[in-house]
């Protein structure tokens, strides 16, 4: 395939360029927007943990609000805002649960503290105080002492399969270049380039 028409290749190039520039701390922080059970959109940060030719992987609690939203409507958007590099990327696509074996392979190589955190956190559930959470963690530490920590059932990953991308590059004189890729019915990518002017206050 022509590299020019492969947005995943382009994503990789941008990602590594921004990462190398060291201007942005968490290059992999992205805003995930879902359509909730109440039909309202909601956005929150998650961390991109892998990207492959199939799409973008993040991990979360399957009992969380975002997971419930995805179960009802798998259409999501991702937004990378790399302001210091004058770049942004918007991605629209469909999220699907990863096979348990894939989530387990990822979980196994997480630090123990993060593994315990996955057990301790019941996202979306109101915890009365920080102390309760700390006590939960302590109990879990004792429970799994010197043992391999298994992946909790309520934890795992999603693969976001992209259907559209907007790569946006800002220039110092306020000119914005947007490269839009749209997935066609025959799985080819249609590419459009637009230029615009931005005057932010
Ligand atoms: C920088 C940053 C990264 C985060 N990464 C994740 C993540 O990878 N997975 C996750 O479940 N929550 C992550 N969170 C917490 C979420 O933003 C969110 O508060 C939590 O998942 C509950 O969201 P929900 O109730 O909408 O499902 C992150 C928060 C921040 C600030």
């Amino acid at each position: 395939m022509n590299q020019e028409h492969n947005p995943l290749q382009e994503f990789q190039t941008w990602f590594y360029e921004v990462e190398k520039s060291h201007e942005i701390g968490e290059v992999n922080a992205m805003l995930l927007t879902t359509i909730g059970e109440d039909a309202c959109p909601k956005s929150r940060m998650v961390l991109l943990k892998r990207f492959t030719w199939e799409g973008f992987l993040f991990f979360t609690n399957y009992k969380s609000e975002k997971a419930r939203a995805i179960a009802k409507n798998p259409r999501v958007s991702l937004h990378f805002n790399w302001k210091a590099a004058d770049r942004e990327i918007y991605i629209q696509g469909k999220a699907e649960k990863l096979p348990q074996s894939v989530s387990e392979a990822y979980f196994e190589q997480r630090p123990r503290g993060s593994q315990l955190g996955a057990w301790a956190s019941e996202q979306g559930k109101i915890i009365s105080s920080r102390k309760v959470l700390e006590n939960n963690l302590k109990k879990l530490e004792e429970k799994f002492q010197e043992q391999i920590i298994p992946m909790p059932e309520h934890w795992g990953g999603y693969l976001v399969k992209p259907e559209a991308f907007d790569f946006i590059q800002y220039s110092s004189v306020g000119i914005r270049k947007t490269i839009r890729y749209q997935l066609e019915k025959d799985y080819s990518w249609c590419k459009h380039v637009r230029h615009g002017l931005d005057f932010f206050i």
Side-chain angles (χ1 to χ4, degrees):
M1 196 203 298
N2 183 346
Q3 268 202 15
E4 272 251 298
H5 280 84
N6 184 345
L8 288 140
Q9 176 73 55
E10 190 140 349
F11 178 87
Q12 188 181 50
T13 306
W14 276 37
F15 188 92
Y16 288 130
E17 279 173 5
V18 173
E19 193 175 47
K20 246 198 284 171
S21 73
H22 298 296
E23 278 161 14
I24 291 160
E26 273 178 326
V27 179
N28 62 336
M30 57 185 186
L31 202 63
L32 165 76
T33 304
T34 52
I35 305 294
E37 291 170 305
D38 54 2
C40 292
K42 183 181 169 186
S43 306
R44 78 290 278 161
M45 299 300 295
V46 291
L47 294 178
L48 174 70
K49 289 297 182 177
R50 303 263 187 281
F51 54 90
T52 73
W53 292 111
E54 280 200 276
F56 304 90
L57 271 64
F58 68 90
F59 292 84
T60 192
N61 186 313
Y62 285 148
K63 289 184 181 169
S64 64
E65 197 179 326
K66 69 179 96 45
R68 291 199 305 275
I70 291 168
K72 279 253 167 176
N73 184 347
R75 292 196 171 276
V76 301
S77 77
L78 304 174
H79 177 216
F80 293 87
N81 184 7
W82 298 323
K83 196 168 181 296
D86 289 324
R87 287 178 178 185
E88 281 184 282
I89 302 178
Y90 290 90
I91 299 165
Q92 291 167 325
K94 278 195 194 136
E96 55 185 56
K97 265 188 181 177
L98 289 174
Q100 192 181 335
S101 57
V102 177
S103 293
E104 271 168 354
Y106 173 74
F107 186 84
E108 274 169 23
Q109 46 87 42
R110 296 186 92 207
R112 261 184 102 75
S114 307
Q115 290 178 335
L116 287 174
W119 276 97
S121 81
E122 281 218 43
Q123 281 180 12
K125 205 172 156 194
I126 294 163
I127 294 166
S128 53
S129 71
R130 190 194 168 107
K131 191 96 197 125
V132 173
L133 205 57
E134 282 169 2
N135 280 345
N136 284 353
L137 263 178
K138 220 167 151 206
K139 279 189 206 146
L140 286 163
E141 262 166 37
E142 283 158 16
K143 179 175 168 189
F144 291 119
Q145 210 177 20
E146 287 169 36
Q147 276 180 47
I148 290 173
I149 303 173
M151 184 180 80
E153 254 176 45
H154 63 256
W155 194 91
Y158 286 94
L159 166 69
V160 177
K161 287 186 167 172
E163 294 177 353
F165 286 82
D166 281 312
F167 291 89
I168 305 175
Q169 174 83 63
Y170 296 94
S171 79
S172 54
V173 289
I175 297 174
R176 164 175 35 89
K177 179 182 176 188
T178 306
I179 305 168
R180 181 160 182 90
Y181 289 91
Q182 187 85 41
L183 190 63
E184 300 291 293
K185 282 197 176 119
D186 65 356
Y187 288 97
S188 65
W189 288 98
C190 176
K191 179 179 175 181
H192 297 279
V193 181
R194 280 180 295 148
H195 294 274
L197 278 179
D198 284 312
F199 295 100
F200 302 125
I201 298 166

